[in-house]
Amino acid sequence: MSVITNIEDLRILAQKRVPRMFYDYADSGSWTESTYRANNSDFADMKFRQRVAVNMENRTLATTMVGQAVSMPVALAPTGMAGMQHADGEILAAKAAEKFGVPFTLSTMSICSIEDVAAHTSKPFWFQVYVMKDRDFINRLIDRAKAANCSALVLTLDLQILGQRHKDLKNGLSAPPKLTIPNILNMMSKPRWSMGMLGTQRRTFGNIVGHASNVSDMSSLSSWTSQQFDLALSWKDVEWIKQRWGGKLIIKGIMDAEDAHLAVESGADALIVSNHGGRQLDGALSSIRALPAIVDAVGKQIEIHMDGGIRSGQDVIKAIALGAKGVYIGRPFLYGLGAMGEAGVTKCLDIIRNELDLTMAFCGLTDVNKVDKQILIPGTY
Ligand code: HOC
């Protein structure tokens, strides 16, 4: 690969450099992957109004997400096992995000722990939790996130059961990978990745193994998930977590206006319109198609974020135009991480920032806070 100019270039490089099991884990959806594909393709149907002879000087992308200053309305999404795309992946991504002035969200299912990331960064990052049966473990995670000075908690509500992902089952996904002959051969064909992993101690779930009293073996992820995640999750648990955490709470996985109203009632500060990157309910609407109804329902009461399918700054500005205050990118930064470590995440953010900035100017605006539906052609969104 010569010059990297877009997110697809990073994806191609990551696919070459990351072992198949972990590349596939990041870059797949559930069942037929129809929602996974629609998340991105539905953006392409939306068209911009091009404006000319408008003063394009002094443009700004700076705004806020849950009251916190961000250099552009983009956060890094919580993504499981980022530390398997590249050794120390969560630390590297958090460092790139910090330098860029955008939030990094550490997943509970990360390889590097909350403490690992806190030790290598100097600004607050965000932390993501699920509702697991073991409430003491959630209490301990919340205490650890507070001790690490995390400035927002993201609560995922759409993963109490795991959507079936064919590739993960076929690849026998586990972290660290099981040392079968096919896995060893595949890892040997990825020398940069393998050398990095040999140079780090962080090869399994740092927030969980050694911290949750009932967990010693994470080798079968899907059976672990089905044992640990609480199927009886209710909005009472959300209220409990809000009260236990006491800080900014962002609820992730809202796709329905009725649930959006309940999220408002639970006391959350923001919600994320999300179908988990098309990894859970295959056949659900794309996030960008679900966004307008949720903005109409509760947009005046709660801050609305979205994720799913964003591969460019053009996609970011379309989501902002439809009422999102901020968006999250998952796969784009994982591609960057797998391709080139911290430099790849920085490259990803740089690409998205430039595309967002130039597209805003082409649409005749200079301040991202002024972006609304006026930049889109009616009938295309
Ligand atoms: C297989 C690991 O959000 C995902 C993540 C984390 C899932 C936890 C179980 O894969 O979509």
Side-chain angles (χ1 to χ4, degrees), residues 140-176:
R140 287 198 294 281
L141 281 175
I142 289 177
D143 289 341
R144 290 167 64 194
K146 284 184 184 178
N149 203 23
C150 292
S151 56
L153 189 70
V154 174
L155 174 60
T156 299
L157 296 185
D158 62 356
L159 200 122
Q160 297 317 103
I161 41 176
L162 196 65
Q164 182 173 313
R165 302 151 193 182
H166 298 311
K167 286 177 192 154
D168 293 349
L169 293 174
K170 291 189 164 76
N171 290 333
L173 176 71
S174 69

Side-chain angles (χ1 to χ4, degrees), residues 211-287:
H211 295 275
S213 50
N214 53 355
V215 177
S216 56
D217 178 19
M218 297 284 291
S219 56
S220 171
L221 294 171
S222 55
S223 67
W224 185 84
T225 310
S226 57
Q227 284 159 30
Q228 303 299 322
F229 286 52
D230 191 353
L231 293 181
L233 161 67
S234 80
W235 288 97
K236 287 262 170 278
D237 297 301
V238 178
E239 287 167 27
W240 166 68
I241 287 175
K242 167 71 187 171
Q243 185 262 325
R244 181 71 178 72
W245 165 247
K248 297 288 183 189
L249 180 73
I250 304 170
I251 292 185
K252 179 167 181 282
I254 300 297
M255 289 291 288
D256 186 274
E258 275 182 44
D259 286 343
H261 283 293
L262 293 166
V264 171
E265 283 167 28
S266 74
D269 298 278
L271 64 82
I272 310 177
V273 177
S274 171
N275 51 37
H276 217 100
R279 298 161 73 77
Q280 290 292 92
L281 176 60
D282 186 38
L285 214 54
S286 67
S287 300

